[in-house]
Amino acid sequence: MTDYRQHPSVVAHWRDALLQPLPEALEARETIWFAVPPEPDVEQMWEGLLGRLEADGTATVLGVPAYLYDLNFGDRVSVMRSAENALVATGLEHDARNFTFRVQLNTDEPNASHPLAAELAENGCLIDFISPQFFAISCGEPQAQEVADRLSALEHDGVLHYDTGRTQQLG
């Protein structure tokens, strides 16, 4: 059995003192499907991210990956249409030099993510909610270390678990 995970929300940014959908993500008409590298004895998982087809045949990622590594908001990928007409990524064409973090809160409170998401968004990050307790964050290079330090401190305090989306250094 194959596991397809499409994000239930649109990437949000901070505007007018609120988290609001990012206009370019809101206007995205395509879902780009990415095969998550398989693990032994686990079904194949696919992550569906909003995207925009470009004139050169590539697509720009307009979602923040929650399960993929070394793919980030704003990256451009090569794509092809599957037999079912789904848009499937086949490779990375351009690294937008953004950084991804994933946060799993250690609480079941429905709105527990809002204060942290708002704090990060106020500082220029993009937020992609997967569930009330699980969300993905995208930020540029200048904010990446500050975000990592903040999340590390919260993890040390037992508030959350987080991981980073980059396994490779930027060149």
Side-chain angles (χ1 to χ4, degrees):
M1 183 83 179
T2 304
D3 182 9
Y4 295 95
R5 297 188 184 186
Q6 188 171 359
H7 291 215
S9 70
V10 173
V11 171
H13 67 145
W14 194 253
R15 181 160 186 162
D16 299 327
L18 294 170
L19 275 170
Q20 296 185 11
L22 185 68
E24 64 185 299
L26 199 55
E27 294 168 5
R29 298 289 172 245
E30 297 285 348
T31 297
I32 307 167
W33 289 99
F34 295 84
V36 176
E39 295 180 25
D41 301 321
V42 176
E43 64 189 23
Q44 175 63 57
M45 183 169 63
W46 291 79
E47 184 170 6
L49 298 168
L50 286 177
R52 177 183 61 230
L53 278 175
E54 305 296 347
D56 66 359
T58 63
T60 300
V61 176
L62 296 174
V64 184
Y67 307 102
L68 294 159
Y69 290 88
D70 299 314
L71 180 77
N72 299 281
F73 181 90
D75 287 354
R76 289 184 62 166
V77 296
S78 52
V79 293
M80 61 172 274
R81 291 277 179 193
S82 71
E84 296 82 15
N85 202 35
L87 196 60
V88 178
T90 58
L92 180 65
E93 294 292 323
H94 173 76
D95 185 330
R97 302 184 71 84
N98 289 317
F99 286 76
T100 297
F101 299 91
R102 277 72 70 120
V103 171
Q104 177 70 52
L105 297 175
N106 293 335
T107 180
D108 290 332
E109 288 186 38
N111 296 321
S113 62
H114 291 187
L116 178 58
E119 173 191 333
L120 295 168
E122 282 183 74
N123 291 319
C125 296
L126 300 174
I127 309 295
D128 199 344
F129 289 99
I130 312 307
S131 75
Q133 291 79 28
F134 180 47
F135 60 99
I137 303 159
S138 176
C139 66
E141 256 183 289
Q143 299 112 326
Q145 189 59 57
E146 182 180 333
V147 170
D149 292 345
R150 176 72 171 126
L151 295 175
S152 179
L154 291 169
E155 184 173 65
H156 182 266
D157 292 343
V159 174
L160 54 80
H161 293 288
Y162 86 100
D163 79 344
T164 62
R166 281 196 183 268
T167 63
Q168 303 167 3
Q169 295 288 327
L170 286 178

